[in-house]
Amino acid sequence: MSAPPSSAGPPSERPSSASAAGVPPPAISVRELVKRFGEVPALDRVTLEVPSGQVLGLLGPNGAGKTTLIRILLGLTRPTAGEASVLGRPPSDPAGRARVGYMPQDLAVYMDLSVTENVELFGRLYGVSGERLRARAREVLALVRLTERRHSLVADLSGGMRRRVSLAAALVADPELLLLDEPTVGVDPELRFEFWEFFHRLTQDGKTVVLTTHYLEEANRADRVVFLHAGTVLATGAPAEVKARTQTETLDDAFLRLVRDRAHGSG
Amino acid sequence: MALLRVLAVARKALGQLAHDRRTVAFVLVVPLVLILVFGYGFGGQPTHIATVVVNEDRGPAGNAFLSALPGGVLDLSSVGSNVSAWSAVNSGSDRAAIVIGPNFTALAKAGTVSLTLYLDGTSPTVAAAVVSAVQAALQGAFASNGTGPSVRVVSDYVYGTSTTPFINTIAPGIMALAILFITTVLSIIVLVRERSAGLLERLFASPLRPSEFVAGHALSLTVVALAQVTVLFVSALLIFHATFTGNLLFAFGVLLLFGVGNLGLGMLLSAAARSEFQAIQFIPLLLIPQILFAGALFPLEAIPVAFRPISEILPLTYAARALQDILLRGWGVAGVAVDLLALAVYAALMLGGAILLVRRQA
């Protein structure tokens, strides 16, 4: 019972399929998505399309529905209504999941394994093995600057280092789509800068990065932002566009303006 | 199922153990402690021991003796011949046979009461209880009439001997118990930890399937069980000079089947629990009834009659019985078929349930 060949996702296939279609298909497509927990709607008819090859910032306060949206895209939870497709497949398809890297908001790495053991475990779960796995692990650990600590137990690392292990685990299988929930929390500004550089480098290879962040200002570096508020999409567009539309100087102000307008509009 | 992912999970679980020396020590020392603690003189007073009687006596003394047998200790049933009495013990359906010869009354009048016992020495506690009940009945029946015949009981051990080391008879139960401990505790703890750290969610965001998750842990558990059973065998053989007649590999296979079932049950309960705290509470619930009522440490006959139906639904009962039959009686697959079947059904149901439920908690 081996996985279908497509789940291995050889990187060589990706550019050709993207270029053959002319306009690459969207990495994520979500239509009229509703998720209710009891009476409370966590997502209320969210429609969203994320073109591939972009860094998308998913912004909004706690409880806006960012994590719920990501969990649906990963097939971890089922929507109450609506449709979602990730890389052209339903989120419940395990073969599709093999091409999606995920870094959860909680520090989901094994404290009682070493840095390398963690990264290699996730590599194997996504179908990477042997020499390629070792090479990829070295690469991503260099990227998150943990080469020197690669044999340390995660329990012995600082909070910021642990988040970097988690990011390395999300990257190791060279996914086409990265879903990163708060990847830059506890990461110092210098390294945060490097992360953003790296995210943009990934998009040059046709990959897509979706990340959530509390630091609205760092989202200025995203190609596109989506403002989520109380389970609905307030606005979407390039950061400059959104700021121009709301006649504000910063994304923080833009967000506040949009929330206020919404409140007046509905009340 | 993809082997790469199964192996990845197994490797992860073993890696976690390798970094945790205390748990490794726990895994290896628990069986040793159990065998030392329980190896020395544990045992309740057996009652309702299944016993067959052959009464060929031509006089009244045989019946006088039988009616003097203390009630409650032996559950008597009659058979017609010496041979069927022996085979009742040999097949394991009865623990002992009392054979009263045709000249019992005549010999008693002449001054010697003599009878033969066929005993199952796989449990010396039970065998000793039979012997002492018979001795007491003989004293009661014949010492009181003043003739005071000398009493001669010939004990013929169908399995084991009167000097079979106690550790021999307790070791199979200890093995099953050690496997029960470690598999139950580890499987519950593993799932609780993965759940609370958000790891289960992250694992199932990957292509990992629930069956691969369960299989990987079953595989790592096999390695742990192998180490544990080795400690048990080596300590029983070297420290206590135990002698086993049966096939050790077969015994290991039974332990593995039992362990995999426990793993499934642990994961199932852990997944069904609403909180980590609830999950942990399943541990004593699973262990204590099995320790007391499964015939692993005490013979089933030493369990109060009211509780015996409970024994029948405890997996450890079947595992312990199969191991005793394999290691002490030297039985093969045919002899323990019922126990094997019970353990296989248990393992299949529990693993199936765990696979269905484990992802729900992600």
Side-chain angles (χ1 to χ4, degrees):
Chain A
M1 280 193 287
S2 62
S6 60
S7 75
S12 58
E13 281 180 10
R14 288 170 200 151
S16 63
S17 64
S19 60
V23 182
I28 296 171
S29 171
V30 159
R31 277 181 44 208
E32 296 283 306
L33 206 61
V34 177
K35 178 67 184 181
R36 268 189 225 99
F37 294 105
E39 289 292 293
V40 190
L43 292 177
D44 193 3
R45 295 193 297 142
V46 168
T47 296
L48 194 63
E49 202 153 276
V50 182
S52 54
Q54 288 198 347
V55 179
L56 179 103
L58 201 54
L59 312 179
N62 285 329
K66 298 174 304 221
T67 300
T68 302
L69 179 57
I70 287 183
R71 284 175 53 86
I72 289 175
L73 295 177
L74 287 163
L76 288 170
T77 189
R78 282 173 191 280
T80 311
E83 283 171 29
S85 109
V86 176
L87 301 172
R89 291 167 187 264
S92 56
D93 184 350
R97 284 207 292 275
R99 294 145 66 208
V100 181
Y102 172 47
M103 175 183 175
Q105 195 171 347
D106 297 328
L107 229 166
V109 284
Y110 288 91
M111 293 290 171
D112 47 357
L113 290 181
S114 76
V115 171
T116 303
E117 284 169 338
N118 264 288
V119 172
E120 290 191 348
L121 164 65
F122 284 99
R124 289 191 190 96
L125 292 182
Y126 286 85
V128 187
S129 61
E131 189 45 48
R132 173 148 184 270
L133 176 62
R134 276 185 289 280
R136 280 295 302 168
R138 271 198 302 275
E139 235 173 276
V140 293
L141 286 178
L143 177 87
V144 299
R145 307 250 191 100
L146 283 173
T147 304
E148 309 242 298
R149 302 301 301 271
R150 65 189 182 279
H151 297 306
S152 304
L153 285 188
V154 173
D156 297 335
L157 301 181
S158 70
M161 286 178 176
R162 291 174 186 177
R163 294 204 70 80
R164 277 140 65 189
V165 176
S166 186
L167 180 61
L171 293 171
V172 64
D174 197 18
E176 277 172 67
L177 170 64
L178 271 169
L179 297 177
L180 310 174
D181 208 350
E182 302 280 355
T184 55
V185 168
V187 175
D188 63 63
E190 189 196 352
L191 192 61
R192 202 184 299 166
F193 179 85
E194 277 182 41
F195 278 6
W196 277 97
E197 293 287 297
F198 175 69
F199 296 153
H200 283 289
R201 266 210 313 282
L202 286 177
T203 62
Q204 282 158 24
D205 300 336
K207 286 167 186 158
T208 310
V209 180
V210 173
L211 56 85
T212 70
T213 177
H214 269 97
Y215 309 109
L216 258 52
E217 288 319 302
E218 80 172 345
N220 276 310
R221 304 197 57 194
D223 296 313
R224 242 155 59 94
V225 292
V226 171
F227 281 174
L228 271 184
H229 179 69
T232 59
V233 175
L234 280 187
T236 158
E241 250 172 66
V242 173
K243 282 185 283 189
R245 223 184 299 153
T246 53
Q247 296 170 322
T248 50
E249 300 292 316
T250 65
L251 284 173
D252 272 322
D253 290 342
F255 189 80
L256 290 174
R257 173 75 49 88
L258 285 162
V259 171
R260 227 172 286 141
D261 291 352
R262 166 66 59 94
H264 288 307
S266 63
Chain B
M1 261 200 261
L3 190 60
L4 176 67
R5 290 193 295 263
V6 173
L7 292 176
V9 171
R11 195 165 169 166
K12 173 223 77 173
L14 290 174
Q16 287 177 292
L17 264 187
H19 288 300
D20 184 356
R21 291 198 199 121
R22 268 176 229 181
T23 300
V24 172
F26 172 73
V27 164
L28 297 181
V29 167
V30 161
L32 194 61
V33 169
L34 283 177
I35 211 163
L36 288 171
V37 168
F38 292 112
Y40 292 112
F42 224 110
Q45 197 50 51
T47 61
H48 295 280
I49 302 165
T51 308
V52 288
V53 176
V54 191
N55 187 358
E56 297 174 325
D57 187 18
R58 287 191 286 259
N63 284 326
F65 154 71
L66 287 176
S67 56
L69 278 171
V73 178
L74 306 180
D75 280 351
L76 297 178
S77 56
S78 287
V79 293
S81 75
N82 212 321
V83 174
S84 47
W86 187 88
S87 58
V89 178
N90 186 52
S91 71
S93 64
D94 286 272
R95 287 289 204 167
I98 301 172
V99 181
I100 302 169
N103 300 322
F104 187 73
T105 305
L107 284 169
K109 280 180 182 153
T112 309
V113 222
S114 169
L115 53 75
T116 300
L117 296 177
Y118 297 137
L119 294 170
D120 176 357
T122 57
S123 173
T125 320
V126 170
V130 173
V131 172
S132 87
V134 166
Q135 299 270 22
L138 289 172
Q139 294 295 337
F142 302 105
S144 59
N145 67 15
T147 56
S150 66
V151 170
R152 197 166 72 89
V153 176
V154 181
S155 297
D156 182 352
Y157 281 82
V158 178
Y159 296 107
T161 66
S162 62
T163 59
T164 299
F166 185 57
I167 196 67
N168 240 23
T169 67
I170 200 91
I174 299 282
M175 287 175 194
L177 203 59
I179 293 295
L180 174 73
F181 265 49
I182 209 70
T183 51
T184 307
V185 173
L186 280 187
S187 60
I188 287 180
I189 298 284
V190 158
L191 214 61
V192 162
R193 277 181 15 179
E194 309 245 324
R195 221 167 105 172
S196 61
L199 282 159
L200 211 53
E201 167 176 313
R202 184 166 199 172
L203 292 180
F204 287 126
S206 84
L208 183 69
R209 289 176 169 85
S211 56
E212 293 161 348
F213 178 82
V214 172
H217 280 109
L219 194 61
S220 69
L221 200 75
T222 303
V223 177
V224 173
L226 185 64
Q228 249 193 346
V229 173
T230 307
V231 170
L232 281 165
F233 275 119
V234 170
S235 57
L237 292 171
L238 294 186
I239 304 176
F240 294 97
H241 308 289
T243 47
F244 298 117
T245 41
N247 185 331
L248 297 190
L249 272 180
F250 184 30
F252 179 71
V254 170
L255 282 168
L256 217 55
L257 185 62
F258 178 52
V260 166
N262 295 332
L263 170 94
L265 179 59
M267 288 195 161
L268 182 73
L269 290 178
S270 203
R274 290 191 164 265
S275 66
E276 288 88 46
F277 186 61
Q278 269 184 15
I280 300 289
Q281 289 178 338
F282 282 121
I283 294 175
L285 196 68
L286 289 180
L287 295 185
I288 291 172
Q290 306 216 60
I291 294 170
L292 293 177
F293 299 136
L297 295 177
F298 325 106
L300 282 172
E301 286 85 347
I303 296 164
V305 178
F307 290 113
R308 289 189 193 173
I310 297 177
S311 309
E312 297 303 314
I313 57 164
L314 299 176
L316 180 59
T317 302
Y318 298 93
R321 187 161 55 208
L323 285 170
Q324 285 158 358
D325 287 345
I326 294 165
L327 291 173
L328 304 178
R329 295 185 158 123
W331 286 3
V333 177
V336 296
V338 172
D339 299 313
L340 278 184
L341 184 69
L343 289 175
V345 168
Y346 169 63
L349 287 179
M350 295 305 130
L351 288 178
I355 289 168
L356 284 180
L357 280 188
V358 77
R359 198 168 191 275
R360 265 195 10 188
Q361 295 301 333

